[in-house]
């Protein structure tokens, strides 16, 4: 499922979350969810949706496998991998609704 906000092209960066079943329980606000299992099929659509966004930041739960692997498949923009993935991000920012939405502690502690 690829969803991008209409304002995506006006942003300096976009965050792509490649988690699938583990996406439930919280995510970075305004991220694009593109599960790693189908990423190779959806990558062209993702490139089109994020056209004009100069930097794309990929992550999965820990950014050790799915996030980096997906980032390697994306060549159009400047690409980054979020260190420590969503697990590290939510540990620091889960109480900030401007950065994390739909957080459910039972999925992460």
């Amino acid at each position: 499922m690829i969803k991008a906000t209409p304002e995506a092209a006006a942003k300096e960066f976009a965050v792509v979350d490649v988690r699938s079943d583990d996406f439930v329980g919280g995510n970075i606000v305004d991220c694009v969810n593109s599960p790693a299992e189908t990423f190779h099929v959806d990558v062209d659509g993702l490139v089109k949706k994020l056209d004009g966004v100069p930097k794309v930041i990929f992550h999965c739960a820990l950014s050790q496998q799915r996030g980096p692997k997906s980032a390697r498949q994306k060549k159009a923009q400047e690409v980054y991998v979020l260190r420590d993935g969503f697990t590290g991000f939510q540990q620091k920012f889960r109480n900030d609704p401007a950065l994390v939405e739909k957080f459910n502690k039972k999925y992460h502690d």
Side-chain angles (χ1 to χ4, degrees), residues 14-25:
V15 176
V16 178
D17 187 330
V18 298
R19 296 177 296 150
S20 55
D21 294 342
D22 52 338
F23 184 76
V24 69

Side-chain angles (χ1 to χ4, degrees), residues 38 57 83:
T38 58
I57 304 162
R83 180 180 287 152

Side-chain angles (χ1 to χ4, degrees), residues 46-83:
L46 182 63
V47 168
K48 287 178 187 174
K49 287 190 183 292
L50 298 178
D51 184 41
V53 179
K55 298 176 185 171
V56 180
I57 304 162
F58 285 85
H59 78 86
C60 55
L62 298 172
S63 291
Q64 293 180 351
Q65 293 183 15
R66 295 174 291 177
K69 181 178 178 183
S70 297
R72 284 191 295 274
Q73 295 179 49
K74 179 91 172 55
K75 304 282 190 228
Q77 289 105 335
E78 209 171 316
V79 175
Y80 300 89
V81 176
L82 180 65
R83 180 180 287 152

Side-chain angles (χ1 to χ4, degrees), residues 17 19-28 59-62 66 84-95 99-109:
D17 187 330
R19 296 177 296 150
S20 55
D21 294 342
D22 52 338
F23 184 76
V24 69
N27 57 273
I28 295 174
H59 78 86
C60 55
L62 298 172
R66 295 174 291 177
D84 299 326
F86 184 70
T87 299
F89 191 86
Q90 63 85 14
Q91 287 173 344
K92 293 177 185 172
F93 303 111
R94 66 179 163 201
N95 294 319
L99 298 175
V100 176
E101 63 184 359
K102 303 174 193 153
F103 183 77
N104 187 328
K105 185 177 178 176
K106 77 176 190 174
Y107 291 99
H108 300 288
D109 286 333

